[in-house]
Amino acid sequence: MPLNTAAATSNSDTGASAEDISLDKDILRSQIRPRRLTARSHRGEHGQQQMQELFTAHILEAVAQRVHSPGTIAAYLPTKSEPPIVQALNALHEQGHRILVPVVRPGRKLAWVHWDPAVEHPLSPMGIPEPEGEEQDERAFVDADLRLIPALAFDAGGHRLGQGGGYYDRIIPLLSDQQLTGRSIGIVFSDEIYEAVPYDQWDAILPVILTERGIFLAHQQG
């Protein structure tokens, strides 16, 4: 998979200042967010359906390879501009998997709640359905059989650029190496894997990334 070469490259490993890294992250986020909206508009309804089917096929294949009986999957409900994975979550639910999705709580924390596609859920201020029910802490994320993790971008080394809230940067380090490499998958569009993205030393790294073109293994390219 060819990598996007357009990203800024400041990072803590090269001695860049925290201010420079933060600025470069904000610049990259400001480029990706409107580009996602423009790309969705250009795809149209038919193109969006095709994109959804590609993500669904790759996610179902990835889960089948890693979870051999119905289990618990920590996922998320995407915004309109994010990769369309709801169809995949519906299919996983039909297969008997238990789907957990995050809800934002005070103190920049995530709680995890069971998601049932048959139940209508209230919308958050961002327009995302937030299931109501028993809330579980970060152990639900850690103990899940597989995790689907959102991002704005990754680089060839698996460094993750998130939305800026730091929610996942706080909980991904709780995973063991086996949980991280075997059953944690970052989700982005294929043009959001860069040769390099700006990163701090505390930013999460995910070795396995899934796009509409399939699985990308960090450090396996170039």
PDB file of all heavy atoms in Angstrom, residues 5 15 48 53 58 87 90 106 109-110 114 122 124 139 160 201 207 214:
ATOM      1  N   THR A   5       2.643  10.898   1.751  1.00  0.00           N
ATOM      2  CA  THR A   5       3.915  11.542   2.103  1.00  0.00           C
ATOM      3  C   THR A   5       3.749  12.976   2.578  1.00  0.00           C
ATOM      4  O   THR A   5       4.731  13.675   2.796  1.00  0.00           O
ATOM      5  CB  THR A   5       4.865  11.539   0.897  1.00  0.00           C
ATOM      6  OG1 THR A   5       4.268  12.277  -0.180  1.00  0.00           O
ATOM      7  CG2 THR A   5       5.153  10.125   0.439  1.00  0.00           C
ATOM      8  N   GLY A  15      13.760  15.166  18.972  1.00  0.00           N
ATOM      9  CA  GLY A  15      14.032  16.305  19.834  1.00  0.00           C
ATOM     10  C   GLY A  15      13.167  17.514  19.580  1.00  0.00           C
ATOM     11  O   GLY A  15      13.446  18.605  20.102  1.00  0.00           O
ATOM     12  N   GLN A  48     -20.504   5.635  -1.121  1.00  0.00           N
ATOM     13  CA  GLN A  48     -20.465   5.420   0.320  1.00  0.00           C
ATOM     14  C   GLN A  48     -20.867   3.992   0.658  1.00  0.00           C
ATOM     15  O   GLN A  48     -20.291   3.364   1.552  1.00  0.00           O
ATOM     16  CB  GLN A  48     -21.377   6.419   1.034  1.00  0.00           C
ATOM     17  CG  GLN A  48     -21.328   6.374   2.555  1.00  0.00           C
ATOM     18  CD  GLN A  48     -20.003   6.845   3.126  1.00  0.00           C
ATOM     19  OE1 GLN A  48     -19.142   7.358   2.417  1.00  0.00           O
ATOM     20  NE2 GLN A  48     -19.833   6.668   4.429  1.00  0.00           N
ATOM     21  N   GLU A  53     -19.191  -1.453   2.344  1.00  0.00           N
ATOM     22  CA  GLU A  53     -19.059  -2.882   2.080  1.00  0.00           C
ATOM     23  C   GLU A  53     -17.608  -3.339   2.153  1.00  0.00           C
ATOM     24  O   GLU A  53     -17.318  -4.448   2.619  1.00  0.00           O
ATOM     25  CB  GLU A  53     -19.672  -3.206   0.715  1.00  0.00           C
ATOM     26  CG  GLU A  53     -21.192  -3.075   0.702  1.00  0.00           C
ATOM     27  CD  GLU A  53     -21.789  -3.216  -0.682  1.00  0.00           C
ATOM     28  OE1 GLU A  53     -21.009  -3.358  -1.652  1.00  0.00           O
ATOM     29  OE2 GLU A  53     -23.034  -3.181  -0.800  1.00  0.00           O
ATOM     30  N   HIS A  58     -13.563  -6.461   5.278  1.00  0.00           N
ATOM     31  CA  HIS A  58     -12.241  -6.556   5.905  1.00  0.00           C
ATOM     32  C   HIS A  58     -12.353  -6.730   7.419  1.00  0.00           C
ATOM     33  O   HIS A  58     -11.572  -7.478   8.025  1.00  0.00           O
ATOM     34  CB  HIS A  58     -11.412  -5.329   5.560  1.00  0.00           C
ATOM     35  CG  HIS A  58     -11.052  -5.222   4.112  1.00  0.00           C
ATOM     36  ND1 HIS A  58     -10.552  -6.286   3.389  1.00  0.00           N
ATOM     37  CD2 HIS A  58     -11.136  -4.185   3.241  1.00  0.00           C
ATOM     38  CE1 HIS A  58     -10.321  -5.907   2.145  1.00  0.00           C
ATOM     39  NE2 HIS A  58     -10.679  -4.634   2.030  1.00  0.00           N
ATOM     40  N   GLN A  87     -22.281  -1.146   9.590  1.00  0.00           N
ATOM     41  CA  GLN A  87     -22.752  -2.376   8.958  1.00  0.00           C
ATOM     42  C   GLN A  87     -21.953  -3.573   9.463  1.00  0.00           C
ATOM     43  O   GLN A  87     -22.509  -4.650   9.707  1.00  0.00           O
ATOM     44  CB  GLN A  87     -22.627  -2.263   7.441  1.00  0.00           C
ATOM     45  CG  GLN A  87     -23.101  -3.500   6.678  1.00  0.00           C
ATOM     46  CD  GLN A  87     -23.071  -3.286   5.180  1.00  0.00           C
ATOM     47  OE1 GLN A  87     -23.854  -2.497   4.644  1.00  0.00           O
ATOM     48  NE2 GLN A  87     -22.170  -3.952   4.480  1.00  0.00           N
ATOM     49  N   ASN A  90     -23.139  -4.392  12.951  1.00  0.00           N
ATOM     50  CA  ASN A  90     -24.409  -5.121  12.875  1.00  0.00           C
ATOM     51  C   ASN A  90     -24.177  -6.593  12.564  1.00  0.00           C
ATOM     52  O   ASN A  90     -24.787  -7.474  13.174  1.00  0.00           O
ATOM     53  CB  ASN A  90     -25.310  -4.499  11.806  1.00  0.00           C
ATOM     54  CG  ASN A  90     -26.144  -3.341  12.317  1.00  0.00           C
ATOM     55  OD1 ASN A  90     -27.121  -3.533  13.030  1.00  0.00           O
ATOM     56  ND2 ASN A  90     -25.737  -2.138  11.963  1.00  0.00           N
ATOM     57  N   PRO A 106     -17.002  12.764  32.374  1.00  0.00           N
ATOM     58  CA  PRO A 106     -16.133  13.841  32.881  1.00  0.00           C
ATOM     59  C   PRO A 106     -14.720  13.344  33.177  1.00  0.00           C
ATOM     60  O   PRO A 106     -14.499  12.155  33.439  1.00  0.00           O
ATOM     61  CB  PRO A 106     -16.849  14.282  34.158  1.00  0.00           C
ATOM     62  CG  PRO A 106     -18.281  13.916  33.934  1.00  0.00           C
ATOM     63  CD  PRO A 106     -18.249  12.635  33.148  1.00  0.00           C
ATOM     64  N   LYS A 109     -12.603  10.804  30.411  1.00  0.00           N
ATOM     65  CA  LYS A 109     -12.626   9.355  30.541  1.00  0.00           C
ATOM     66  C   LYS A 109     -13.721   8.765  29.661  1.00  0.00           C
ATOM     67  O   LYS A 109     -14.701   9.427  29.332  1.00  0.00           O
ATOM     68  CB  LYS A 109     -12.855   8.956  31.999  1.00  0.00           C
ATOM     69  CG  LYS A 109     -11.701   9.318  32.930  1.00  0.00           C
ATOM     70  CD  LYS A 109     -11.977   8.832  34.348  1.00  0.00           C
ATOM     71  CE  LYS A 109     -10.806   9.162  35.274  1.00  0.00           C
ATOM     72  NZ  LYS A 109     -11.061   8.675  36.663  1.00  0.00           N
ATOM     73  N   LEU A 110     -13.514   7.515  29.282  1.00  0.00           N
ATOM     74  CA  LEU A 110     -14.506   6.773  28.533  1.00  0.00           C
ATOM     75  C   LEU A 110     -15.107   5.688  29.400  1.00  0.00           C
ATOM     76  O   LEU A 110     -14.397   4.988  30.120  1.00  0.00           O
ATOM     77  CB  LEU A 110     -13.878   6.123  27.291  1.00  0.00           C
ATOM     78  CG  LEU A 110     -13.296   7.054  26.229  1.00  0.00           C
ATOM     79  CD1 LEU A 110     -12.653   6.234  25.120  1.00  0.00           C
ATOM     80  CD2 LEU A 110     -14.358   7.988  25.664  1.00  0.00           C
ATOM     81  N   HIS A 114     -22.857  -1.656  26.547  1.00  0.00           N
ATOM     82  CA  HIS A 114     -23.291  -2.627  25.545  1.00  0.00           C
ATOM     83  C   HIS A 114     -24.148  -1.949  24.490  1.00  0.00           C
ATOM     84  O   HIS A 114     -25.041  -1.165  24.812  1.00  0.00           O
ATOM     85  CB  HIS A 114     -24.087  -3.742  26.234  1.00  0.00           C
ATOM     86  CG  HIS A 114     -24.686  -4.718  25.287  1.00  0.00           C
ATOM     87  ND1 HIS A 114     -26.055  -4.865  25.125  1.00  0.00           N
ATOM     88  CD2 HIS A 114     -24.122  -5.599  24.422  1.00  0.00           C
ATOM     89  CE1 HIS A 114     -26.295  -5.791  24.220  1.00  0.00           C
ATOM     90  NE2 HIS A 114     -25.148  -6.255  23.772  1.00  0.00           N
ATOM     91  N   PRO A 122     -30.177   7.722  22.509  1.00  0.00           N
ATOM     92  CA  PRO A 122     -30.099   9.181  22.415  1.00  0.00           C
ATOM     93  C   PRO A 122     -28.802   9.612  21.759  1.00  0.00           C
ATOM     94  O   PRO A 122     -27.785   8.902  21.829  1.00  0.00           O
ATOM     95  CB  PRO A 122     -30.171   9.630  23.875  1.00  0.00           C
ATOM     96  CG  PRO A 122     -29.705   8.451  24.666  1.00  0.00           C
ATOM     97  CD  PRO A 122     -30.157   7.250  23.913  1.00  0.00           C
ATOM     98  N   SER A 124     -25.504  12.075  21.187  1.00  0.00           N
ATOM     99  CA  SER A 124     -24.599  12.971  21.902  1.00  0.00           C
ATOM    100  C   SER A 124     -24.599  14.324  21.192  1.00  0.00           C
ATOM    101  O   SER A 124     -25.165  14.468  20.104  1.00  0.00           O
ATOM    102  CB  SER A 124     -23.186  12.381  21.894  1.00  0.00           C
ATOM    103  OG  SER A 124     -22.612  12.513  20.597  1.00  0.00           O
ATOM    104  N   ARG A 139     -11.406  -1.421  32.153  1.00  0.00           N
ATOM    105  CA  ARG A 139     -11.130  -2.855  32.128  1.00  0.00           C
ATOM    106  C   ARG A 139     -11.966  -3.547  31.064  1.00  0.00           C
ATOM    107  O   ARG A 139     -11.545  -4.567  30.492  1.00  0.00           O
ATOM    108  CB  ARG A 139     -11.417  -3.476  33.491  1.00  0.00           C
ATOM    109  CG  ARG A 139     -10.477  -3.068  34.609  1.00  0.00           C
ATOM    110  CD  ARG A 139      -9.016  -3.246  34.269  1.00  0.00           C
ATOM    111  NE  ARG A 139      -8.683  -4.551  33.714  1.00  0.00           N
ATOM    112  CZ  ARG A 139      -7.464  -4.887  33.288  1.00  0.00           C
ATOM    113  NH1 ARG A 139      -6.489  -3.995  33.343  1.00  0.00           N
ATOM    114  NH2 ARG A 139      -7.224  -6.081  32.801  1.00  0.00           N
ATOM    115  N   ARG A 160      -0.232   6.719  16.270  1.00  0.00           N
ATOM    116  CA  ARG A 160      -1.632   7.084  16.064  1.00  0.00           C
ATOM    117  C   ARG A 160      -1.860   8.569  16.317  1.00  0.00           C
ATOM    118  O   ARG A 160      -1.449   9.105  17.340  1.00  0.00           O
ATOM    119  CB  ARG A 160      -2.518   6.269  17.018  1.00  0.00           C
ATOM    120  CG  ARG A 160      -3.999   6.653  17.000  1.00  0.00           C
ATOM    121  CD  ARG A 160      -4.784   5.832  18.021  1.00  0.00           C
ATOM    122  NE  ARG A 160      -6.184   6.248  18.069  1.00  0.00           N
ATOM    123  CZ  ARG A 160      -6.630   7.237  18.855  1.00  0.00           C
ATOM    124  NH1 ARG A 160      -5.792   7.872  19.671  1.00  0.00           N
ATOM    125  NH2 ARG A 160      -7.907   7.575  18.833  1.00  0.00           N
ATOM    126  N   GLN A 201       6.052  11.155  22.846  1.00  0.00           N
ATOM    127  CA  GLN A 201       6.488   9.862  23.352  1.00  0.00           C
ATOM    128  C   GLN A 201       5.359   9.079  24.005  1.00  0.00           C
ATOM    129  O   GLN A 201       5.405   7.857  24.095  1.00  0.00           O
ATOM    130  CB  GLN A 201       7.623  10.051  24.360  1.00  0.00           C
ATOM    131  CG  GLN A 201       7.239  10.888  25.565  1.00  0.00           C
ATOM    132  CD  GLN A 201       8.422  11.139  26.489  1.00  0.00           C
ATOM    133  OE1 GLN A 201       9.531  10.706  26.202  1.00  0.00           O
ATOM    134  NE2 GLN A 201       8.181  11.821  27.596  1.00  0.00           N
ATOM    135  N   PRO A 207       0.149  -1.716  15.981  1.00  0.00           N
ATOM    136  CA  PRO A 207       0.849  -2.433  14.914  1.00  0.00           C
ATOM    137  C   PRO A 207      -0.055  -2.861  13.760  1.00  0.00           C
ATOM    138  O   PRO A 207       0.433  -3.131  12.669  1.00  0.00           O
ATOM    139  CB  PRO A 207       1.428  -3.670  15.625  1.00  0.00           C
ATOM    140  CG  PRO A 207       1.311  -3.380  17.086  1.00  0.00           C
ATOM    141  CD  PRO A 207       0.132  -2.487  17.228  1.00  0.00           C
ATOM    142  N   GLY A 214      -7.818  -3.118   3.154  1.00  0.00           N
ATOM    143  CA  GLY A 214      -7.374  -4.295   3.884  1.00  0.00           C
ATOM    144  C   GLY A 214      -6.495  -3.949   5.071  1.00  0.00           C
ATOM    145  O   GLY A 214      -6.501  -2.815   5.563  1.00  0.00           O
TER     146      GLY A 214
END
